[in-house]
Amino acid sequence: MIPVQGYEGQVVAVLGLGRSGRATAAALKAGGAIPVVWDDGASAREAAYDAGFDIRDLTKAGAFDDVAALIVSPGIPHLYPKPNPIIAAAWDADVPVDNDIGLFFRSFATPDWDNFDTTPKVIAITGSNGKSTTSALIHHILVENGRPSQLAGNIGRGVLDLEPAHDGEVIVLELSSYQTDLARSLTPDIAVWTNLTPDHLDRHGGFGGYFAAKRRLFAEGGPDRAVIGVDEAEGRYLANQLSQGRGDDRVLRISSGQKLTGDGWTVFARKGFLAEHRKGRQVGSIDLRKIKGLPGAHNHQNACAAYAACRTLGLGPKGIEAAMHSYGGLPHRSQLIAEQNGVAFINDSKATNVDSAAKALQAFSKIRWICGGLQKDGGLDGLLPYLDHVVKAYVIGREAEDFARQLTGADAEVCGTMAAAVAQAKADAQSGETVLLAPAAASFDQYDSFEKRGEDFIACVKAALA
């Protein structure tokens, strides 16, 4: 646990008692603060009370009279589509609003560091797609190369659940726009930007607000090194803002699909090969086609981001490459489940939007595609250029018929359920083809989460292959 610093003897309110909220309350208490907690759910309040925390109804008048700060869980909207009433009450009472990420950055460094030979560092990764894989890959590379490391944030553990840093340790944090938008302190040593595509637009008041939320990690955080994906205009804009000119190697530009030139520090992947250039010369390369855990151009971009971040820490290209070969991938993200009779079964349930599903379609050929679910705004037009990779689509979800109608030119069968889709795809598939779950939609019409959807796919595949 990271005890929260700066609130000793002060009352701090915690709104939201999910994973991060509970960890925040415990870390505040460990640091000498007096946490008072609230959640709209009665069961969450009861569990917090049983754990020894004081419950305070933050909806009541005067609830903030003695409160030094309000700490908000990331799932609670604070501004768009409209301010949460409790957060608005904190504003009116002139009570600072923060989140667990802000508390982490203000509390991570301790006097013990004066005795360390090597100062601990924090790598923070944000972006629309690929940030989970990039974060996990960086962590894996560090561990495989003998560097102590912990992984947390939007993936795995809450940031305040981490252990206090060891000598030379590297903390790897995946940060969503929900987390970067509100944190009052953002000070990573290395910040990574994967890419930007439309997502969570209602939460941020549009695409500009979404970009601004992620940009805070770089503009307000002031990292020593910034790794920026420049395949979209926003990334090129951000890299230009951070750079002091040609050859400024504090900014590392990365790309998947285009060769990057110039005197700066760049890492890019083309036709399956990663290349590192510095001051106009190639200094490293990796054949990514041989790495099973990172299939497709989208994962090659993740590989570039992870490689660049690890190079800033002084790791050598050969050590990074060896670690990439042992990387097994994340559950529900281009995850190989089984192979039978020359047919591969891939779980990419995390492909919850059109852009991430399009990347999955580009990663494979001859696809038996299981798709569908709760559609997001914008329609499915972004998938149409990649339907030539699809032999047949098997559509699930409550909106399956409407989803199938939008797949213009594709052979699409409405299956409704995962079990029916897997059974039919398995029966139709021939050697050399891939049965791919990449829904291009949210899961909430049939499942509690994309993880549950992926687990159902895995269970159905195992049943079909038994």
Side-chain angles (χ1 to χ4, degrees), residues 109-442:
T110 68
D112 292 340
W113 290 20
D114 293 338
N115 300 316
F116 289 170
D117 292 328
T118 304
T119 301
K121 293 186 180 294
V122 177
I123 301 177
I125 300 94
T126 196
S128 296
N129 298 305
K131 57 184 179 294
S132 294
T133 295
T134 299
S135 301
L137 181 57
I138 291 171
H139 175 66
H140 176 78
I141 292 169
L142 291 169
V143 171
E144 290 295 299
N145 281 271
R147 296 290 295 269
S149 178
Q150 297 183 71
L151 176 65
N154 201 46
I155 182 174
R157 305 164 73 180
V159 292
L160 296 173
D161 266 339
L162 291 169
E163 296 302 317
H166 297 92
D167 193 339
E169 190 164 35
V170 181
I171 305 299
V172 183
L173 300 182
E174 178 196 340
L175 299 182
S176 72
S177 59
Y178 291 6
Q179 294 168 310
T180 58
D181 196 18
L182 193 58
R184 297 172 73 91
S185 179
L186 284 168
T187 54
D189 299 282
I190 301 161
V192 179
W193 174 284
T194 58
N195 51 58
L196 194 76
T197 57
D199 206 359
H200 308 305
L201 301 190
D202 59 335
R203 173 68 180 263
H204 297 293
F207 194 51
Y210 178 53
F211 172 49
K214 290 186 176 293
R215 179 181 175 274
R216 292 187 74 245
L217 182 63
F218 301 81
E220 299 188 24
D224 295 331
R225 301 275 191 181
V227 175
I228 309 291
V230 294
D231 289 333
E232 296 91 27
E234 290 81 8
R236 295 194 296 275
Y237 166 79
L238 181 58
N240 181 267
Q241 280 204 318
L242 296 173
S243 174
Q244 295 300 312
R246 296 184 182 91
D248 184 354
D249 64 4
R250 296 173 305 165
V251 178
L252 288 77
R253 292 168 172 83
I254 65 166
S255 173
S256 176
Q258 60 175 315
K259 180 178 180 179
L260 301 179
T261 60
D263 296 329
W265 197 351
T266 62
V267 179
F268 59 88
R270 293 183 70 202
K271 299 180 180 179
F273 288 87
L274 178 152
E276 176 191 4
H277 285 243
R278 196 168 187 181
K279 297 181 179 178
R281 296 179 54 199
Q282 181 169 316
V283 295
S285 65
I286 297 175
D287 184 352
L288 298 172
R289 300 171 303 173
K290 299 178 181 179
I291 300 176
K292 289 188 175 182
L294 297 167
H298 63 304
N299 274 313
H300 293 175
Q301 183 185 57
N302 300 334
C304 288
Y307 178 97
C310 291
R311 288 289 283 140
T312 68
L313 294 172
L315 273 66
K318 290 184 178 180
I320 296 173
E321 180 178 5
M324 285 184 175
H325 277 283
S326 63
Y327 176 69
L330 284 174
H332 315 300
R333 297 164 176 86
S334 298
Q335 179 188 16
L336 177 62
I337 301 303
E339 290 182 276
Q340 187 180 84
N341 300 326
V343 178
F345 293 80
I346 303 292
N347 168 25
D348 202 347
S349 183
K350 184 64 169 64
T352 59
N353 58 41
V354 166
D355 185 72
S356 55
K359 288 180 168 62
L361 293 181
Q362 294 173 70
F364 305 96
S365 59
K366 298 181 181 179
I367 299 169
R368 301 282 175 175
W369 179 32
I370 299 176
C371 55
L374 192 62
Q375 295 183 57
K376 296 185 176 181
D377 293 340
L380 305 180
D381 288 352
L383 295 168
L384 301 184
Y386 311 107
L387 294 183
D388 58 344
H389 290 217
V390 176
V391 179
K392 184 176 179 180
Y394 305 81
V395 189
I396 64 173
R398 289 200 310 239
E399 303 173 347
E401 292 186 3
D402 178 60
F403 198 105
R405 278 195 295 270
Q406 296 181 61
L407 301 178
T408 307
D411 182 8
E413 179 177 342
V414 174
C415 295
T417 67
M418 183 71 74
V422 169
Q424 191 60 54
K426 188 261 182 183
D428 294 344
Q430 301 179 23
S431 180
E433 295 181 343
T434 298
V435 175
L436 170 67
L437 171 65

